[in-house]
Amino acid sequence: MKVFDTISSTEAHVTVIDVRAGLLSTTLRALRDIGFLEAAKKGQISFAVFHILGPSIASLDEIAGTSSLLADSSYFLVKNFINNTTFFDWDPATYDTYFSRAKGAYEITIPKLNEMACEQVELAAVPFVSFIANKGANGQSASYSFVLRGYVRYWLGNVWAEFDRIKLNDLLGAEVQRTNANMNSARQA
């Protein structure tokens, strides 16, 4: 409640909510029930969902429950490669069964980051860009491995390229512009 009750009064332009695996459908139904999804549909707020998928059937099953609630929202299906598993790409029928359910959804593929590099970023407790820049949590110079920083730099470049491929900035920018236009129209009425 604290997050949603303060959305219109906060100066933050973006609010990120991380929902535990398996709770996205439940969370979206709650957002529907409180009128949040309707407000997004009317353009009173911008709303985007990044549905992080694992390569399991349980993860893919959740697409059906979420896509029906997100018909009017920016919906991103994110294949997150945390290990060397696949997303049923070897079986197009299985793949299509799940991904075709999300009409209008954008598919994003996040490549796998080298395990050792990922572990060191976690231990450093800094953003990826700080790790690459060899900066610690306090902004001071750090002594992270050149090789591991290189892995992270290469991986992050691929992530940004994937965002550019789907024109993520344009998609989200259009969503924000649509919300601002609707809010201005409502104020004038």
Side-chain angles (χ1 to χ4, degrees):
M1 285 188 334
K2 288 179 183 179
V3 170
F4 297 105
D5 285 344
T6 60
I7 282 180
S8 61
S9 63
T10 184
E11 291 189 28
H13 295 281
V14 175
T15 301
V16 176
I17 300 169
D18 186 6
V19 178
R20 185 173 54 97
L23 291 181
L24 183 56
S25 297
T26 303
T27 302
L28 290 172
R29 283 191 296 277
L31 292 176
R32 177 199 60 203
D33 294 349
I34 66 170
F36 185 88
L37 295 181
E38 184 66 24
K41 182 177 182 178
K42 290 178 179 177
Q44 296 168 340
I45 56 172
S46 297
F47 181 56
V49 172
F50 291 82
H51 187 170
I52 311 301
L53 301 169
S56 69
I57 293 292
S59 181
L60 299 177
D61 275 340
E62 196 169 36
I63 294 172
T66 57
S67 62
S68 63
L69 293 165
L70 295 169
D72 299 311
S73 300
S74 297
Y75 185 30
F76 301 91
L77 296 169
V78 182
K79 296 192 309 188
N80 188 22
F81 286 88
I82 58 171
N83 53 36
N84 290 325
T85 59
T86 63
F87 281 80
F88 302 98
D89 295 332
W90 49 266
D91 182 7
T94 301
Y95 182 84
D96 289 342
T97 298
Y98 289 98
F99 282 81
S100 66
R101 293 178 186 175
K103 302 277 188 255
Y106 299 91
E107 188 176 319
I108 300 173
T109 301
I110 302 299
K112 179 180 172 280
L113 175 59
N114 171 283
E115 293 91 350
M116 189 178 290
C118 184
E119 180 179 303
Q120 289 304 302
V121 172
E122 290 277 330
L123 289 173
V126 296
F128 293 113
V129 292
S130 295
F131 187 85
I132 292 167
N134 210 21
K135 299 290 182 188
N138 57 7
Q140 300 293 344
S141 202
S143 58
Y144 307 131
S145 162
F146 175 82
V147 171
L148 296 179
R149 289 186 297 124
Y151 279 129
V152 174
R153 182 181 303 106
Y154 179 76
W155 171 82
L156 192 57
N158 286 328
V159 171
W160 296 141
E162 183 67 2
F163 292 165
D164 289 344
R165 179 190 64 80
I166 66 159
K167 298 177 176 37
L168 183 62
N169 282 339
D170 295 343
L171 293 168
L172 295 179
E175 181 77 22
V176 169
Q177 288 174 356
R178 189 170 40 255
T179 297
N180 289 339
N182 287 338
M183 290 174 66
N184 288 335
S185 294
R187 285 186 190 124
Q188 293 171 354

